[in-house]
């Protein structure tokens, strides 16, 4: 059983030039938890994932994984090897490879270079693992289809499969339903629920109703700080949260006039 408190941010700040994007932020992701992080544009949500995954380094604070390991001193590759997988907002799949080959590539390149993986076929691929991943993401019937022929939603599911094929303890997902149809959105929610049954998941999203589907706990960011956190119903009823979202809608409506 994995210990509680899988990930903890402690007093993390990050600025780009004079713009303070994350401001003294502390939060926790528990083992086996699906945590939704929401907030308006500019709240620091994607930068939060960048800091956790090692893409950028914070100016202050610590990011502790598994109680003892401070991720701020590690490279992206080392952080991924520890068991943190990231799904970016825009799907990044190999469109000229089949669905099966994309997952195979992801599974094998964790330990080997991309080109070695593509051209060295001597090692027996982990067929059972790939089959299980494709079944989980709902693409088993399209295993031999070129990834470029998939719909936007299917490409998102494929990339999620490519990440979970590496069996991370913590999955970071950035706005997974952006650009999806209602049906694809619902299926994505079901997929993330399934995934979170045996690993921790941190999902960045704008859509409160989608977050309600997948997460019991919600953290709200605003201007790089923690505005509110708790169960979805409590957060949704919070006046500060309502003002942040309603205020943003008013500004957007005014700008459109």
């Amino acid at each position: 059983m994995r210990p509680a408190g899988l990930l903890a941010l402690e007093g993390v700040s990050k600025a780009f030039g004079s713009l303070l994007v994350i401001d003294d932020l502390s939060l926790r992701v528990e083992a086996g938890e699906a945590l939704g992080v929401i907030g308006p544009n500019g709240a620091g949500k994607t930068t939060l994932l960048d800091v956790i995954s090692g893409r950028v380094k914070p100016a202050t604070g610590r990011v502790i994984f598994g109680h003892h390991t401070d991720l701020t001193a590690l490279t992206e590759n080392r952080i991924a090897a520890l068991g943190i997988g990231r799904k970016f907002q825009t799907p990044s799949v190999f469109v000229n490879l089949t669905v099966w080959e994309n997952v195979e590539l992801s599974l094998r390149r964790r330990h080997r270079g991309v080109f070695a993986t593509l051209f060295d076929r001597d090692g027996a691929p982990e067929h059972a693992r790939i089959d299980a991943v494709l079944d989980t993401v709902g693409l088993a019937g399209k295993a031999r289809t070129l990834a470029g022929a998939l719909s936007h939603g299917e490409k998102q599911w494929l990339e999620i499969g490519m990440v979970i094929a590496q069996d991370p303890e913590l999955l970071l997902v950035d706005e997974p339903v952006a650009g999806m149809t209602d049906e694809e959105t619902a299926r994505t929610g079901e997929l993330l629920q399934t995934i979170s049954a045996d690993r921790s998941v941190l999902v960045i999203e704008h859509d409160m109703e989608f977050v309600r589907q997948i997460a019991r706990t919600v953290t709200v960011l605003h201007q790089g700080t923690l505005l509110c956190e708790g169960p979805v119903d409590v957060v949704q009823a919070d006046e500060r949260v309502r003002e942040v979202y309603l205020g943003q809608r008013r500004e957007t409506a005014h700008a459109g006039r």
Side-chain angles (χ1 to χ4, degrees):
M1 181 178 295
R2 293 168 180 152
L6 183 65
L7 181 81
L9 277 71
E10 302 173 352
V12 170
S13 296
K14 176 62 182 178
F16 295 102
S18 61
L19 178 63
L20 187 60
V21 181
I22 297 181
D23 184 8
D24 194 28
L25 178 64
S26 296
L27 63 80
R28 288 169 63 90
V29 180
E30 303 296 338
E33 176 182 28
L35 173 66
V37 177
I38 66 172
N41 291 331
K45 303 184 299 298
T46 296
T47 303
L48 167 64
L49 297 192
D50 287 342
V51 168
I52 295 171
S53 64
R55 195 174 182 87
V56 302
K57 299 299 181 184
T60 62
R62 302 194 304 164
V63 181
I64 305 300
F65 182 62
H67 291 309
H68 304 297
T69 304
D70 186 356
L71 302 181
T72 62
L74 304 180
T75 64
E76 282 187 83
N77 287 342
R78 179 60 182 147
I79 290 171
L82 285 175
I84 297 179
R86 180 172 181 179
K87 163 69 181 77
F88 289 87
Q89 181 177 348
T90 303
S92 179
V93 300
F94 295 92
V95 296
N96 293 322
L97 297 180
T98 67
V99 168
W100 172 279
E101 289 168 336
N102 269 271
V103 178
E104 180 189 21
L105 179 63
S106 177
L107 185 62
R108 300 177 67 194
R109 72 175 173 175
R110 181 175 184 179
H111 305 290
R112 309 162 71 173
V114 172
F115 290 105
T117 300
L118 283 171
F119 295 108
D120 179 8
R121 299 291 181 169
D122 293 335
E126 299 184 36
H127 288 191
R129 176 66 179 162
I130 298 171
D131 284 339
V133 167
L134 292 180
D135 187 59
T136 296
V137 300
L139 294 175
K142 296 193 174 184
R144 302 304 174 188
T145 300
L146 289 179
L150 299 178
S151 70
H152 171 70
E154 289 170 334
K155 288 176 182 174
Q156 295 280 32
W157 303 332
L158 173 56
E159 190 170 19
I160 290 173
M162 292 167 67
V163 177
I164 65 171
Q166 300 180 18
D167 197 27
E169 288 190 78
L170 173 62
L171 175 64
L172 309 175
V173 187
D174 194 357
E175 297 191 22
V177 298
M180 285 191 181
T181 65
D182 290 344
E183 181 182 353
E184 288 174 335
T185 296
R187 287 187 59 184
T188 302
E190 294 168 0
L191 170 58
L192 291 175
Q193 282 181 311
T194 298
I195 292 171
S196 66
D198 58 7
R199 74 191 74 242
S200 299
V201 180
L202 190 160
V203 180
I204 299 294
E205 192 44 75
H206 285 286
D207 187 339
M208 180 79 82
E209 291 308 311
F210 178 75
V211 171
R212 178 191 295 276
Q213 181 184 354
I214 62 172
R216 293 187 299 273
T217 306
V218 179
T219 293
V220 184
L221 299 185
H222 180 51
Q223 296 180 345
T225 64
L226 194 154
L227 178 67
C228 178
E229 62 182 343
V232 177
D233 289 337
V234 173
V235 168
Q236 198 165 23
D238 189 284
E239 285 299 323
R240 297 169 298 171
V241 176
R242 293 169 65 87
E243 179 58 30
V244 165
Y245 273 91
L246 291 174
Q248 184 189 37
R249 291 193 186 109
R250 291 192 196 103
E251 291 175 7
T252 301
H254 180 74
R257 291 175 182 172

